[in-house]
Amino acid sequence: QNGEHRLVFPKLIMLAVELATGWNVYANISVMMGLAVLTLFNIRKTCQISGSSPWSLTVASLLLLSPAGYENWLLGYQIGFWIAMACFTAVCWLPSARHGWMICVAVSIIANYSIADGFICWIIALLLMIVRGHSKQKCFAFAVIGIISEACYFIGFQWPDVSNHGLLNVSGHPVESLLYFCSFFGAPFSLVYNTQEWIGTALLVSFAWFGIRAYRRGARKLVTVFCLGLLSILSSALITVGRFPPMSQPSRYEPCAALMTISLAILAFDL
């Protein structure tokens, strides 16, 4: 355990890579780049399923491969974040594939034991399974497996010191917490916290507007695209609860923060 994270799969991958390459630290960087490419592939599959414009992939590439998220390119430990990113984006299209729900189980378990907010995979995958018309039996089985996985996560879990964080702290500073939440989405575009707040707020409002517009038009095919942004929103909510009040957004969060902007770009191209 590291903080709130159970780094089972990141440690296994790092150990395998290091043993295979003679403890070459640059090998981890190659693996992270490979996971970033896999994430782009998953976004491409999501676009194909929703019939979205391929131009949105340009936006996705610029944001995900940006040097602004430098921590994720230079620190081998960040492999866990890229594993989660690959898993997050995979569950957006896998429920539409044949036998995809079974692969979603494996992907969600990997995400669950790679990063603390990996359990979001279970929520998004189950939502899309319901939308895609999977049987009640499959959805129930998936939910039960997810609950068991999360229960196992907390066996022997040691809670970190949250005296300065948590729901009580957030509820005691609602305005500041909300601005911190919004700044998450503006972080890929600015290093200045106040600017991040305004950019993030504008992006969040725009995302909500396009989401409502898609719903009113009955564009159900865009649900998978909307879930890309929902992943980012849920992650931001968890980070706000767990990390507020530091008035900054570490660069390691930027790929996940970019998912909402990518989702917004796809919705904007298609509506």
Side-chain angles (χ1 to χ4, degrees):
Q1 182 180 336
N2 187 303
E4 305 92 344
H5 308 293
R6 295 282 199 177
L7 304 173
V8 176
F9 291 99
K11 286 182 177 179
L12 288 174
I13 292 175
M14 284 191 289
L15 179 61
V17 170
E18 300 295 358
L19 289 176
T21 60
W23 303 94
N24 184 344
V25 294
Y26 295 105
N28 281 332
I29 297 177
S30 300
V31 173
M32 289 189 288
M33 292 183 68
L35 289 168
V37 172
L38 178 58
T39 300
L40 282 172
F41 170 80
N42 289 331
I43 293 174
R44 177 177 177 271
K45 290 289 292 184
T46 300
C47 290
Q48 287 180 335
I49 290 172
S50 62
S52 302
S53 169
W55 286 105
S56 52
L57 285 176
T58 304
V59 177
S61 300
L62 290 173
L63 289 172
L64 287 178
L65 303 179
S66 168
Y70 62 90
E71 285 182 279
N72 295 315
W73 303 118
L74 300 178
L75 302 177
Y77 165 81
Q78 298 305 112
I79 193 173
F81 283 81
W82 278 116
I83 292 173
M85 284 291 294
C87 293
F88 285 165
T89 50
V91 297
C92 287
W93 68 269
L94 280 173
S96 300
R98 186 179 181 184
H99 304 306
W101 80 275
M102 291 186 287
I103 304 175
C104 277
V105 170
V107 168
S108 298
I109 290 174
I110 292 172
N112 210 162
Y113 290 89
S114 294
I115 193 173
D117 59 358
F119 73 90
I120 294 174
C121 267
W122 296 103
I123 299 172
I124 297 299
L126 181 59
L127 172 63
L128 288 173
M129 285 175 63
I130 294 171
V131 171
R132 293 300 177 187
H134 285 257
S135 67
K136 293 181 180 179
Q137 292 83 355
K138 288 181 179 179
C139 292
F140 179 76
F142 186 85
V144 169
I145 296 171
I147 292 171
I148 293 173
S149 174
E150 192 62 19
C152 292
Y153 186 94
F154 287 101
I155 294 177
F157 186 84
Q158 296 182 0
W159 291 95
D161 180 20
V162 292
S163 56
N164 296 320
H165 308 287
L167 286 172
L168 288 177
N169 187 58
V170 169
S171 61
H173 304 83
V175 176
E176 294 86 349
S177 299
L178 181 60
L179 290 174
Y180 182 83
F181 170 80
C182 292
S183 71
F184 180 81
F185 311 110
F189 305 98
S190 175
L191 296 175
V192 181
Y193 181 71
N194 289 338
T195 307
Q196 291 174 354
E197 291 176 348
W198 289 107
I199 294 175
T201 301
L203 290 172
L204 188 60
V205 170
S206 299
F207 177 75
W209 185 80
F210 276 106
I212 294 171
R213 188 179 177 190
Y215 176 77
R216 288 179 175 175
R217 290 192 176 189
R220 291 189 64 186
K221 66 178 183 178
L222 293 177
V223 171
T224 54
V225 173
F226 185 80
C227 282
L228 280 175
L230 185 58
L231 282 163
S232 186
I233 290 172
L234 291 175
S235 183
S236 178
L238 291 171
I239 289 170
T240 300
V241 172
R243 296 290 182 265
F244 177 79
M247 298 303 178
S248 64
Q249 293 292 352
S251 67
R252 62 180 177 272
Y253 295 153
E254 293 191 10
C256 189
L259 284 180
M260 195 194 71
T261 303
I262 293 169
S263 178
L264 173 60
I266 297 173
L267 291 171
F269 274 120
D270 291 349
L271 292 174

